Amino acid sequence: MANPEKLGQFNLTTGDLVNVLQQNNYQSAVGQFNSYLTILNGTIDTQVETVDGLKSLVIDSSNGQVVQLQDVAEVTLGKSSDGTRALANGKEAVIIGINATPTANPLDVAQGVRTQLQTIEKNLPNTIQSTLIYDSTLAITDSINEVIKTIVEAALIVIVVILLFLGSFRAVIIPIITIPLSLIGVIAVMQVFGFTLNLMTLLAMVLAIGLVVDDAIVVVENVERHIKMGTKPFQAALVATREIAVPVISMTITLAAVYAPIALMGGVTGALFKEFALTLAGAVVISGFIALTLSPMMCSKMLKADAKPSKFESIVERVLGGITDTYQRALLKVLERKAAVVLFAFLVLVSLPIIFSFIPSQLAPDEDQA
């Protein structure tokens, strides 16, 4: 690093210093020496290769005074260019960034990079260390694992709720089977549209679990009602399915019509939620188809006309009957005070704009990653 004050003391400029460095740091051919059998090429090498050689380099020798480079500058061994600098954990390093293409799977790219990194590390000298500083796929993997965990939890909750309200282990099996079948059908729909398993499609599957069992539960409950009324299981399945076919089809079309138009939206919202909307709509359509085909057939084979309910069914019926009676009494008491109910509803309606003003809004949740 040149010192302008010292250069001024010897009447030198930075340009003079650069010229001397360029003149004393080059290679040049001086010709050839030809003999009878050989040809020797001659070169002049004036490159300075050591710090001490640079320090003793003569910058100026006019007026009987020899000025060396160390007299006007600080000479150290450093990088040839300091236009960019990278630090890793407080130490100078060479940073290599790898970005996946839009069509590539970042998880596959990250796994391939880790494999290659292990091979490179084996061939590095002991003085060089390599470290994986940042991996964005860790957040993706954690998010996918969390979504899969949520799918399992949602399925277990659905099983428990169906078991408690239907009170029959046989009846529980029928709606539960619709869950994996619907998800398999959704994956087929995703392949048709060219979708992949990502956070949006997995989120749609989480929400679809609660929707796909609705149609099957309605079918099972209606078939079971006819069986308890004395109809044979096969005939009960036919009659019950005919009764609710139109409502199930209407509900399926309604839900699909609610989610599918989201995929037609433009801008960031449409691009972000297209896969989510079509995956969820596909799950609803497939669940409706299964509810009107597979579920009635399973009801005719698995549900039995037992005159005497099991002990578990009796307990469930007794508990649900008590809850229903308690709710009915509370509802009657509330309806006796219509003025108070209307006033409370009005206060809630008026307070909604105020409550919404305190709720923050954003397009997507913040993630704990850069």
Side-chain angles (χ1 to χ4, degrees):
M1 180 180 294
N3 190 327
E5 295 181 357
K6 293 183 178 180
L7 286 173
Q9 293 177 1
F10 296 103
N11 294 324
L12 297 174
T13 63
T14 305
D16 298 334
L17 181 61
V18 172
N19 292 332
V20 172
L21 291 175
Q22 291 176 348
Q23 294 172 3
N24 288 273
N25 191 31
Y26 69 94
Q27 287 183 330
S28 177
V30 295
Q32 294 178 334
F33 174 78
N34 298 326
S35 66
Y36 185 76
L37 297 175
T38 61
I39 298 177
L40 300 178
N41 295 319
T43 59
I44 297 177
D45 187 0
T46 64
Q47 292 185 352
V48 182
E49 299 179 352
T50 63
V51 176
D52 293 336
L54 280 174
K55 289 181 178 180
S56 59
L57 185 64
V58 176
I59 302 302
D60 184 44
S61 60
S62 61
N63 300 325
Q65 184 179 13
V66 177
V67 180
Q68 297 179 335
L69 182 61
Q70 61 184 352
D71 297 330
V72 296
E74 179 182 356
V75 182
T76 58
L77 180 62
K79 297 183 290 295
S80 60
S81 175
D82 200 22
T84 58
R85 178 177 297 181
L87 297 177
N89 298 325
K91 299 180 180 179
E92 292 189 358
V94 176
I95 305 297
I96 300 176
I98 299 176
N99 297 320
T101 61
T103 58
N105 188 335
L107 299 179
D108 294 339
V109 174
Q111 183 60 38
V113 170
R114 293 191 192 98
T115 303
Q116 292 297 326
L117 184 60
Q118 294 176 356
T119 304
I120 295 173
E121 288 176 345
K122 296 179 181 179
N123 299 323
L124 290 177
N126 296 330
T127 55
I128 299 178
Q129 296 180 352
S130 63
T131 304
L132 187 62
I133 299 176
Y134 175 73
D135 186 359
S136 61
T137 60
L138 296 178
I140 299 176
T141 303
D142 292 341
S143 299
I144 292 177
N145 292 335
E146 189 65 26
V147 171
I148 295 174
K149 177 183 175 183
T150 304
I151 291 177
V152 176
E153 292 176 349
L156 293 177
I157 293 173
V158 169
I159 292 173
V160 173
V161 171
I162 295 174
L163 181 62
L164 290 178
F165 281 89
L166 294 181
S168 173
F169 290 99
R170 290 177 177 270
V172 170
I173 297 175
I174 299 172
I176 293 305
I177 290 179
T178 63
I179 296 178
L181 291 179
S182 298
L183 294 181
I184 292 173
V186 169
I187 292 176
V189 172
M190 291 168 53
Q191 290 181 337
V192 172
F193 286 105
F195 298 159
T196 60
L197 283 175
N198 51 53
L199 294 182
M200 283 299 171
T201 54
L202 290 175
L203 175 60
M205 290 183 182
V206 172
L207 298 179
I209 289 178
L211 298 175
V212 297
V213 297
D214 287 346
D215 298 335
I217 292 174
V218 172
V219 173
V220 172
E221 287 180 341
N222 202 31
V223 173
E224 192 176 45
R225 180 177 66 87
H226 281 277
I227 291 176
K228 290 181 178 180
M229 292 171 59
T231 309
K232 293 182 179 180
F234 182 79
Q235 189 66 26
L238 291 177
V239 175
T241 305
R242 289 171 183 172
E243 289 179 351
I244 63 173
V246 174
V248 169
I249 294 174
S250 301
M251 183 171 60
T252 301
I253 295 175
T254 302
L255 291 175
V258 169
Y259 296 113
I262 300 177
L264 304 178
M265 298 178 63
V268 178
T269 304
L272 187 62
F273 293 102
K274 178 180 179 180
E275 297 184 2
F276 167 80
L278 294 181
T279 301
L280 192 55
V284 172
V285 173
I286 292 172
S287 67
F289 176 78
I290 293 176
L292 296 177
T293 54
L294 179 62
S295 296
M297 185 275 296
M298 295 181 64
C299 289
S300 66
K301 299 297 183 181
M302 300 182 63
L303 298 182
K304 304 298 181 181
D306 295 331
K308 183 179 180 181
S310 63
K311 185 177 180 180
F312 179 77
E313 289 178 324
S314 300
I315 295 174
V316 172
E317 189 68 24
R318 186 168 58 253
V319 173
L320 292 179
I323 295 175
T324 302
D325 294 339
T326 302
Y327 174 75
Q328 185 176 5
R329 289 193 299 269
L331 182 61
L332 291 175
K333 290 182 179 180
V334 171
L335 293 177
E336 292 174 357
R337 299 170 176 81
K338 295 181 180 180
V341 174
V342 173
L343 178 60
F344 179 75
F346 177 76
L347 294 176
V348 172
L349 183 62
V350 172
S351 63
L352 286 179
I354 301 175
I355 296 174
F356 284 143
S357 64
F358 290 101
I359 299 177
S361 61
Q362 60 187 63
L363 177 63
D366 297 329
E367 298 294 340
D368 187 17
Q369 58 175 323

